[in-house]
Amino acid sequence: MSIDLSIIIPEFNESERITSTLERVDRFARRLRGGSAPVGSYEIIVVDDGSSDDTREVVEQISLELPAVRCVRYENNRGKGHAVRVGMLVATGSVRLMTDADCSIPPEEMPKLLEPLISKRADIAIGSRYSEGADVMVKQPAWRIAWSRLCNTVIQRTLVGGIRDTQCGFKAFTASAAREIFSQTRIDGWAFDLEVLALARQANLRIVERGVAWEDDPRTRVNPIKDFVSVVREYRKIRHNLRHGVYHQQLASVSVSHSSL
């Protein structure tokens, strides 16, 4: 059976809040019929990034009640970028949407990203906390706003100019765009969004940005100093890979291996 929508939720040690998130996402996905973003069949893929708690067992229990839910798991913690890559490449939906396990962006915002893809006006739609129409219901701490804005300022000027919120964890891709991009990505950490958008620009894919409602969750695992250093290091690696044609080489290698099967 073909799937219209795949919802990918990367997570690490989320046993306490994953149940409510999955119930909320599934409840809204069932309502996504008709309107400006009609969706029929759907799947919800939880990618467990090597959790050390009982998240996997919790998700498997939920899947008995919510058949659209399935869990993909690997043993070692690799990072959010790796988890999203795995989810995007195992997904079967014609549209593939990533969202965070904390539900900081409510599932009711999904049509904003789905509509331009379903109507074929874009290949990628990304949520934004800074674009017109955004509604930050519970504001971030000052340090996190500064962290996000600093990342965006540096990045806009040198890597993906014109995108106001590169780091928002709410993005949707057509199946072909997801396969093209995530078959090439290498960044496992926080900067994976930058790599994704840089590759999309390189491939001349159409990107739209939509303001979304957003609510800060104080339980965030972002470490302002450690993670900023990590983003800068990964950002430099992305620029190096782009300058030296690493992604083209990787895509050619993938194409050769597929043609030999």
Side-chain angles (χ1 to χ4, degrees), residues 7-254:
I7 302 168
I8 292 102
I9 303 177
E11 61 78 24
F12 174 71
N13 287 350
E14 293 286 0
S15 61
E16 292 185 3
R17 56 185 175 184
I18 195 65
T19 296
S20 60
T21 291
L22 291 175
E23 289 175 345
R24 186 175 180 184
V25 169
D26 184 81
R27 184 165 55 248
F28 185 74
R30 281 187 273 116
R31 289 167 46 195
L32 277 175
R33 293 176 172 86
S36 61
V39 171
S41 58
Y42 66 93
E43 62 181 356
I44 303 172
I45 302 172
V46 178
V47 184
D48 181 34
D49 187 28
S51 292
S52 57
D53 65 1
D54 61 344
T55 300
R56 179 183 181 182
E57 290 73 20
V58 171
V59 174
E60 289 177 347
Q61 184 62 38
I62 296 170
S63 69
L64 298 177
E65 302 175 15
L66 306 176
V69 173
R70 64 181 172 120
C71 184
V72 176
R73 184 178 186 270
Y74 42 87
E75 292 301 322
N76 298 319
N77 178 239
R78 297 283 301 275
K80 184 179 179 180
H82 183 81
V84 172
R85 181 188 311 125
V86 168
M88 286 289 175
L89 294 178
V90 303
T92 59
S94 57
V95 173
R96 304 175 187 187
L97 182 146
M98 55 173 274
T99 189
D100 289 334
D102 62 4
C103 244
S104 55
I105 298 176
E108 289 77 14
E109 297 293 277
M110 287 182 188
K112 292 182 179 180
L113 303 192
L114 300 180
E115 190 277 327
L117 304 190
I118 292 172
S119 64
K120 302 187 185 302
R121 293 188 293 107
D123 304 297
I124 301 169
I126 63 178
S128 173
R129 295 160 289 186
Y130 311 131
S131 295
E132 182 179 354
D135 180 14
V136 180
M137 294 177 285
V138 177
K139 291 187 176 182
Q140 299 168 291
W143 67 262
R144 193 169 182 187
I145 294 174
W147 187 90
S148 180
R149 290 293 177 91
L150 180 58
C151 285
N152 280 324
T153 298
V154 173
I155 291 152
Q156 282 182 29
R157 291 177 180 174
T158 58
L159 201 61
V160 286
I163 296 177
R164 301 185 66 182
D165 191 357
T166 59
Q167 302 306 109
C168 183
F170 196 59
K171 296 180 173 68
F173 306 78
T174 62
S176 58
R179 286 191 296 265
E180 179 171 1
I181 292 171
F182 287 96
S183 63
Q184 299 183 73
T185 57
R186 296 184 169 206
I187 299 299
D188 288 343
W190 289 106
F192 84 95
D193 298 88
L194 312 181
E195 184 180 43
V196 164
L197 295 173
L199 287 170
R201 280 282 173 80
Q202 189 177 65
N204 294 317
L205 296 174
R206 298 166 298 167
I207 305 171
V208 298
E209 196 168 8
R210 294 287 183 265
V212 293
W214 193 85
E215 181 174 350
D216 183 56
D217 189 323
R219 294 171 293 180
T220 178
R221 294 190 176 95
V222 173
N223 182 306
I225 297 176
K226 178 182 176 182
D227 292 331
F228 182 74
V229 170
S230 176
V231 166
V232 171
R233 182 172 59 249
E234 292 171 343
Y235 158 76
R236 288 175 176 171
K237 183 176 180 181
I238 295 166
R239 292 201 69 191
H240 174 273
N241 289 347
L242 289 169
R243 284 197 303 265
H244 292 84
V246 171
Y247 298 112
H248 287 112
Q249 294 168 15
Q250 181 172 337
L251 186 59
S253 174
V254 170

